[in-house]
Amino acid sequence: MATETEPAMQADALTLRQRLPSNLFMHLGILFSIFAMSSPLILALIMSTQTTSEVYQVTNLGIGSQGLANYDIVLTDYNFATYLWNSFVMSMIIVVGKVGLSLLAALALVYYELPFERGVFMFILLTLLLPVPVRIVPLFQLMADLGWTNTMLALTGPYIASATAVFLFRQHFMSIPSSLVETAKLDGVGPLKFLFGVLIPMSKGMIAGVCVITYIYSWNQFLWPLVAVTDKSSQVVQVGIRYIQGSAQAGLTQWGLIMAGAVIALLPPLVVLIALHRPLLRTFAIQQK
C-alpha cells in the first residue's frame, strides 16, 4: 500500500513546487525588508495613541487609550499648527528661491561665454564643503547685524543658493541638443525667453525632482532655526517637537505627544514625496517600467 502512495506523494510535491514562484525567497526578502523599514513608523503610530504610562510598558504594543486625543493636544496646547505653517512657508520660499537662482546660474554656465567658466563652476562645487552647520557662527552674526533674527529672512536666506541644484541643472542643460540653441539664436530668442520657453518645459522632470529634494531638506531643518529664531511663535515644526520633549510630566518624557507631533510633521513631506516620486526617481536616473 505504501508503494502505491509514494508516487502520488512525489507527484503532489512536484505540483506544489511548480506552483511556487521561482523567486519566492526574493519576494520574502523584500517583504521582510519593507516590514523592517516600516516598523519604526508603525511603532510611532502606536505610541502616538498611548498615554505616558502605557508607553513605558514595554510589552504594550496595542493601540492606546488616548486614541486621537494626543494629536488634538499637540495641535492646540502646543501651538503645533503655527509651527507647521512656518515650516510650510519656509520650505516653499526656499524651493522657489533655490530652483529659480539655480536655473539662472546653470543657464549662465552653459550658454554664456564666461571668463574662467570652469573655475567658477569648481568654486560653486567647493561650497559643498561649507554647509550651513559649518558656517553657523558667522551666519548668525550676519543675521544679527542685518536685523533679520526672528524673521523668515533668517530662516530662508542661507539656503537659497545651492551648488547641488546648480550642478544638476547644468548637467541636464548640457544634454539638450545644441541644434535647439542654434535655432533659437537664428530666431532671435533672448536668454530669458529661451529659458522659459525651451529649457524649463524640457526640464520639468528634473525641476520637479529638485523641488522634492529641496522641500524635504528644508522641512527637516532643526539646528539653524533653533539658533536663528528665539521667538516660539516663529519657530518651525522640528523645533516644535523639541519643545514637546522638554515638557515632562511627573519626571517622565511624554512620548505619546512626541510621537503624535512626529507623525503630524511627517505627513506634508510624505504627501509631496508620494505625489512627485516619479520625477524624483528620474532625477537620480532610476528607470521605472
Side-chain angles (χ1 to χ4, degrees), residues 240-256:
I241 296 175
R242 181 65 182 85
Y243 289 156
I244 299 175
Q245 185 177 356
S247 59
Q249 184 179 27
L252 298 177
T253 303
Q254 302 183 79
W255 289 110

mmCIF file of all heavy atoms in Angstrom, residues 240-256:
data_model
loop_
_atom_site.group_PDB
_atom_site.id
_atom_site.type_symbol
_atom_site.label_atom_id
_atom_site.label_comp_id
_atom_site.label_asym_id
_atom_site.label_seq_id
_atom_site.Cartn_x
_atom_site.Cartn_y
_atom_site.Cartn_z
ATOM 1 N N GLY A 240 9.552 72.537 17.183
ATOM 2 C CA GLY A 240 8.342 72.354 17.962
ATOM 3 C C GLY A 240 8.291 70.991 18.625
ATOM 4 O O GLY A 240 7.820 70.862 19.769
ATOM 5 N N ILE A 241 8.778 69.965 17.945
ATOM 6 C CA ILE A 241 8.844 68.635 18.552
ATOM 7 C C ILE A 241 9.791 68.651 19.746
ATOM 8 O O ILE A 241 9.543 68.007 20.774
ATOM 9 C CB ILE A 241 9.286 67.602 17.505
ATOM 10 C CG1 ILE A 241 8.238 67.495 16.393
ATOM 11 C CG2 ILE A 241 9.512 66.233 18.143
ATOM 12 C CD1 ILE A 241 8.639 66.580 15.261
ATOM 13 N N ARG A 242 10.867 69.390 19.626
ATOM 14 C CA ARG A 242 11.818 69.507 20.741
ATOM 15 C C ARG A 242 11.171 70.216 21.935
ATOM 16 O O ARG A 242 11.444 69.866 23.083
ATOM 17 C CB ARG A 242 13.059 70.268 20.280
ATOM 18 C CG ARG A 242 14.130 70.421 21.352
ATOM 19 C CD ARG A 242 14.699 69.076 21.751
ATOM 20 N NE ARG A 242 15.687 69.199 22.816
ATOM 21 C CZ ARG A 242 15.406 69.246 24.109
ATOM 22 N NH1 ARG A 242 14.133 69.183 24.506
ATOM 23 N NH2 ARG A 242 16.369 69.338 24.997
ATOM 24 N N TYR A 243 10.292 71.187 21.673
ATOM 25 C CA TYR A 243 9.590 71.847 22.758
ATOM 26 C C TYR A 243 8.692 70.853 23.505
ATOM 27 O O TYR A 243 8.585 70.905 24.738
ATOM 28 C CB TYR A 243 8.741 72.994 22.220
ATOM 29 C CG TYR A 243 9.537 74.195 21.742
ATOM 30 C CD1 TYR A 243 9.005 75.078 20.799
ATOM 31 C CD2 TYR A 243 10.814 74.443 22.231
ATOM 32 C CE1 TYR A 243 9.727 76.183 20.372
ATOM 33 C CE2 TYR A 243 11.533 75.540 21.804
ATOM 34 C CZ TYR A 243 10.998 76.401 20.871
ATOM 35 O OH TYR A 243 11.718 77.484 20.449
ATOM 36 N N ILE A 244 8.035 69.968 22.768
ATOM 37 C CA ILE A 244 7.185 68.961 23.411
ATOM 38 C C ILE A 244 8.038 68.031 24.266
ATOM 39 O O ILE A 244 7.646 67.656 25.379
ATOM 40 C CB ILE A 244 6.415 68.158 22.346
ATOM 41 C CG1 ILE A 244 5.515 69.077 21.529
ATOM 42 C CG2 ILE A 244 5.582 67.063 22.998
ATOM 43 C CD1 ILE A 244 4.811 68.384 20.379
ATOM 44 N N GLN A 245 9.203 67.670 23.752
ATOM 45 C CA GLN A 245 10.079 66.776 24.510
ATOM 46 C C GLN A 245 10.541 67.418 25.809
ATOM 47 O O GLN A 245 10.777 66.738 26.800
ATOM 48 C CB GLN A 245 11.292 66.394 23.657
ATOM 49 C CG GLN A 245 12.211 65.362 24.304
ATOM 50 C CD GLN A 245 13.357 64.975 23.386
ATOM 51 O OE1 GLN A 245 13.425 65.411 22.240
ATOM 52 N NE2 GLN A 245 14.263 64.156 23.892
ATOM 53 N N GLY A 246 10.676 68.728 25.808
ATOM 54 C CA GLY A 246 11.148 69.409 27.009
ATOM 55 C C GLY A 246 10.104 69.531 28.101
ATOM 56 O O GLY A 246 10.440 69.864 29.237
ATOM 57 N N SER A 247 8.849 69.273 27.764
ATOM 58 C CA SER A 247 7.786 69.388 28.771
ATOM 59 C C SER A 247 7.500 68.000 29.346
ATOM 60 O O SER A 247 6.717 67.235 28.804
ATOM 61 C CB SER A 247 6.516 69.964 28.134
ATOM 62 O OG SER A 247 6.080 69.133 27.089
ATOM 63 N N ALA A 248 8.157 67.669 30.438
ATOM 64 C CA ALA A 248 7.972 66.362 31.077
ATOM 65 C C ALA A 248 6.806 66.404 32.050
ATOM 66 O O ALA A 248 6.455 67.463 32.591
ATOM 67 C CB ALA A 248 9.247 65.931 31.796
ATOM 68 N N GLN A 249 6.208 65.228 32.283
ATOM 69 C CA GLN A 249 5.090 65.120 33.205
ATOM 70 C C GLN A 249 5.456 64.096 34.275
ATOM 71 O O GLN A 249 5.717 62.936 33.970
ATOM 72 C CB GLN A 249 3.827 64.667 32.471
ATOM 73 C CG GLN A 249 2.594 64.627 33.355
ATOM 74 C CD GLN A 249 1.376 64.185 32.569
ATOM 75 O OE1 GLN A 249 1.483 63.477 31.594
ATOM 76 N NE2 GLN A 249 0.209 64.619 33.005
ATOM 77 N N ALA A 250 5.512 64.543 35.508
ATOM 78 C CA ALA A 250 5.898 63.687 36.635
ATOM 79 C C ALA A 250 7.281 63.078 36.404
ATOM 80 O O ALA A 250 7.539 61.944 36.757
ATOM 81 C CB ALA A 250 4.864 62.580 36.846
ATOM 82 N N GLY A 251 8.155 63.859 35.794
ATOM 83 C CA GLY A 251 9.516 63.386 35.551
ATOM 84 C C GLY A 251 9.653 62.441 34.385
ATOM 85 O O GLY A 251 10.746 61.935 34.130
ATOM 86 N N LEU A 252 8.566 62.172 33.652
ATOM 87 C CA LEU A 252 8.591 61.243 32.522
ATOM 88 C C LEU A 252 8.379 61.999 31.221
ATOM 89 O O LEU A 252 7.527 62.882 31.124
ATOM 90 C CB LEU A 252 7.496 60.177 32.683
ATOM 91 C CG LEU A 252 7.592 59.263 33.914
ATOM 92 C CD1 LEU A 252 6.394 58.334 33.961
ATOM 93 C CD2 LEU A 252 8.894 58.468 33.906
ATOM 94 N N THR A 253 9.172 61.659 30.224
ATOM 95 C CA THR A 253 9.012 62.259 28.903
ATOM 96 C C THR A 253 7.699 61.787 28.286
ATOM 97 O O THR A 253 7.395 60.594 28.292
ATOM 98 C CB THR A 253 10.183 61.868 27.987
ATOM 99 O OG1 THR A 253 11.402 62.277 28.596
ATOM 100 C CG2 THR A 253 10.048 62.535 26.629
ATOM 101 N N GLN A 254 6.935 62.708 27.742
ATOM 102 C CA GLN A 254 5.628 62.376 27.172
ATOM 103 C C GLN A 254 5.793 61.883 25.736
ATOM 104 O O GLN A 254 5.555 62.614 24.767
ATOM 105 C CB GLN A 254 4.708 63.593 27.240
ATOM 106 C CG GLN A 254 4.503 64.123 28.646
ATOM 107 C CD GLN A 254 3.539 65.282 28.694
ATOM 108 O OE1 GLN A 254 2.326 65.111 28.646
ATOM 109 N NE2 GLN A 254 4.081 66.479 28.791
ATOM 110 N N TRP A 255 6.201 60.625 25.618
ATOM 111 C CA TRP A 255 6.493 60.075 24.298
ATOM 112 C C TRP A 255 5.248 59.981 23.431
ATOM 113 O O TRP A 255 5.347 60.027 22.200
ATOM 114 C CB TRP A 255 7.140 58.705 24.452
ATOM 115 C CG TRP A 255 8.539 58.778 24.976
ATOM 116 C CD1 TRP A 255 8.994 58.393 26.205
ATOM 117 C CD2 TRP A 255 9.675 59.296 24.280
ATOM 118 N NE1 TRP A 255 10.346 58.639 26.327
ATOM 119 C CE2 TRP A 255 10.786 59.191 25.152
ATOM 120 C CE3 TRP A 255 9.871 59.841 23.017
ATOM 121 C CZ2 TRP A 255 12.056 59.603 24.793
ATOM 122 C CZ3 TRP A 255 11.144 60.259 22.662
ATOM 123 C CH2 TRP A 255 12.222 60.138 23.542
ATOM 124 N N GLY A 256 4.088 59.827 24.024
ATOM 125 C CA GLY A 256 2.870 59.784 23.225
ATOM 126 C C GLY A 256 2.647 61.076 22.469
ATOM 127 O O GLY A 256 2.335 61.068 21.267
#
